[in-house]
């Protein structure tokens, strides 16, 4: 493991990242679709809620991409360790 560096989110794996990426991408695109599908309606509480949801989910998506940038090499090292373990186990 890389010495001196700590993970930003220790419990997240590559699979967890993919699931969260899909979830936050959907939650980011949904308000955009909701707002674009109602162009002639006046701004109501629903529109304000959709804008708030868009801002929140875009921020969470940006943070998730930052986690990927920061912790990606840890995930690569874990996968290499598992592949080595599998390779040695098959040799027995």
């Amino acid at each position: 493991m890389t010495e001196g560096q700590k993970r930003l989110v220790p419990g997240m794996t590559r699979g967890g990242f993919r699931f969260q990426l899909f979830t936050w991408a959907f939650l980011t695109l949904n308000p955009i679709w909701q707002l674009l599908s109602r162009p002639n309606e006046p701004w109501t509480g629903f529109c304000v809620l959709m804008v708030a949801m868009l801002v929140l989910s875009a921020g969470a998506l940006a943070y998730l991409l930052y986690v990927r940038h920061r912790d990606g090499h840890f995930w690569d090292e874990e996968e290499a360790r598992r592949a080595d373990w599998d390779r040695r186990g098959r040799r027995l």
Side-chain angles (χ1 to χ4, degrees):
M1 187 151 289
T2 308
E3 296 297 323
Q5 290 185 352
K6 292 187 177 180
R7 289 179 134 184
L8 193 60
V9 182
M12 186 181 295
T13 61
R14 191 178 299 268
F17 168 78
R18 288 179 182 152
F19 175 74
Q20 286 189 27
L21 181 67
F22 174 76
T23 303
W24 284 112
F26 175 76
L27 288 174
T28 303
L29 293 175
N30 185 32
I32 294 172
W33 178 75
Q34 292 289 335
L35 292 170
L36 292 178
S37 67
R38 307 164 200 259
N40 297 330
E41 288 186 17
W43 278 76
T44 61
F46 175 78
C47 293
V48 173
L49 180 65
M50 286 295 111
V51 169
M53 184 175 163
L54 177 63
V55 169
L56 177 70
S57 59
L61 190 60
Y63 176 73
L64 188 62
L65 293 175
Y66 174 69
V67 168
R68 167 66 179 111
H69 172 73
R70 180 97 187 264
D71 290 354
H73 62 281
F74 289 110
W75 299 338
D76 294 338
E77 289 175 7
E78 284 177 1
E79 286 181 0
R81 206 173 326 118
R82 283 189 192 124
D84 183 50
W85 183 260
D86 289 343
R87 183 182 46 79
R88 284 193 272 158
R90 289 188 185 123
R91 261 193 300 180
L92 293 176

